[in-house]
Amino acid sequence: MGSLSCLTPNGQVTIPRQILKTLGIGAGNQVYINIEKGRLVLRRVEVVTEKENSNTRVEAVPFF
């Protein structure tokens, strides 16, 4: 699946709705962006919550 999009003057890009739906992400979700072998890669992030004693730790982990 591929789509064409344009960068705004601020360097922002619109991700087509079908790609968002396929990844299961939407407004407010975090994503992981990386460069791999000269390509820009965007991955969905899963939020992991760990409770230790009375402390709660939240970590965003890329979904591979």
Side-chain angles (χ1 to χ4, degrees):
M1 165 193 322
S3 295
L4 190 61
S5 192
C6 292
L7 286 169
T8 68
N10 291 331
Q12 298 169 321
V13 65
T14 299
I15 302 168
R17 187 177 314 265
Q18 185 58 40
I19 292 176
L20 293 173
K21 186 176 177 180
T22 300
L23 288 174
I25 59 176
N29 289 132
Q30 292 183 339
V31 293
Y32 177 78
I33 302 170
N34 193 23
I35 298 173
E36 295 178 6
K37 298 180 183 177
R39 295 180 182 200
L40 184 66
V41 177
L42 178 117
R43 289 191 171 98
R44 175 172 58 116
V45 171
E46 290 188 356
V47 176
V48 176
T49 303
E50 294 181 4
K51 291 186 178 184
E52 297 178 8
N53 302 329
S54 61
N55 298 326
T56 301
R57 187 176 132 237
V58 177
E59 182 179 352
V61 179
F63 182 81
F64 294 95

